[in-house]
Amino acid sequence: MAPSHPRNGASDRDGNGSEDSRNQRRPGGQPQWLPWVQLSISTMLVVLFLVVLAKVREQATSIGELEQKLSTIENSRSQDRTTAMEQQLESMIQRLQALEKLSDHLREVDLQQQALKQELQQLHSIPRATITAPGEPASQIPAPQPANPSRPSALPGSPRPSATPLRPPTDNF
C-alpha cells in the first residue's frame, strides 16, 4: 500500500508499523467504513422516499379538498343561476298571464264593438222619426242613404246632422 500523507508531522503508522485503525481493510479489499456509508446513504434514501411519499399524500388530500371546495362553489353558482332563472321564469309567467288577461279583454271589447256596429246598422235601417215640438204630430221621414255605400261621408258612430234643432223639454222646471 502507498504511504499516506502525514498530518501535522505525525505518521499514520504507530510505533509497531501497523496502519491506523480507520484505514483497516477487509479481506475483499474494501475499507471497514464503506458498508457504514452505504447503509447510511440507503437509510437516508429510504427516509427521503418516505418524506416524499408523505408529501404526495398530503398534496393529494389537499387537492381533494380543493376539488370539493371548487365543486361546492360551482354548485352554489349553478344554484344562483337556477334561482335567477326561476325568478325570470316566474316574471315571464306573470307577464304571460297579464297578456292573456289583456287579450281576453281585447276580445270582449272587439265583441262589444261588433255588437255596437250591428246595433248601429239596425238603427240606420229603421226609418227615423223627426223630433217636433210638443203637441205636433211626428212624421216619418226615411233616413238618407249615402251616395257611395262603400265610402261613408262621416265617421261611423258620429252624430248625423238633423234638419230640426233639438230643444230641451220645458216641463222639467
Side-chain angles (χ1 to χ4, degrees):
M1 187 162 145
S4 62
H5 296 267
R7 280 186 251 153
N8 297 333
S11 125
D12 284 344
R13 297 185 181 252
D14 59 2
N16 298 346
S18 64
E19 290 184 357
D20 193 6
S21 64
R22 60 187 168 157
N23 287 333
Q24 291 178 355
R25 299 202 178 248
R26 295 180 111 188
Q30 295 179 345
Q32 273 187 339
W33 53 267
L34 186 62
W36 289 105
V37 169
Q38 289 174 343
L39 180 66
S40 63
I41 290 175
S42 299
T43 305
M44 186 172 39
L45 286 174
V46 167
V47 168
L48 184 62
F49 175 75
L50 291 175
V51 168
V52 168
L53 185 64
K55 288 289 184 183
V56 166
R57 283 185 180 172
E58 182 181 321
Q59 286 180 349
T61 304
S62 175
I63 288 172
E65 290 174 0
L66 290 174
E67 285 176 347
Q68 186 178 9
K69 287 179 182 179
L70 180 64
S71 67
T72 303
I73 290 171
E74 287 174 350
N75 287 342
S76 69
R77 284 186 181 171
S78 66
Q79 187 176 12
D80 290 344
R81 284 188 218 130
T82 303
T83 304
M85 289 174 71
E86 285 176 357
Q87 289 174 348
Q88 287 178 350
L89 184 63
E90 287 177 17
S91 173
M92 196 180 310
I93 288 172
Q94 290 173 353
R95 289 178 185 167
L96 284 173
Q97 288 173 346
L99 241 147
E100 286 176 355
K101 288 179 184 177
L102 190 61
S103 175
D104 290 342
H105 181 70
L106 283 174
R107 279 190 213 115
E108 289 175 13
V109 168
D110 190 38
L111 289 174
Q112 288 176 355
Q113 186 179 12
Q114 288 177 358
L116 287 174
K117 282 182 182 178
Q118 287 176 356
E119 287 179 20
L120 186 62
Q121 287 175 355
Q122 288 175 357
L123 287 176
H124 284 308
S125 66
I126 297 175
R128 285 189 176 183
T130 58
I131 301 176
T132 59
E136 293 182 21
S139 63
Q140 296 288 333
I141 301 175
Q145 296 293 325
N148 188 355
S150 63
R151 198 165 179 206
S153 61
L155 294 174
S158 64
R160 294 185 181 234
S162 66
T164 55
L166 294 176
R167 295 183 194 140
T170 57
D171 55 341
N172 284 346
F173 294 107

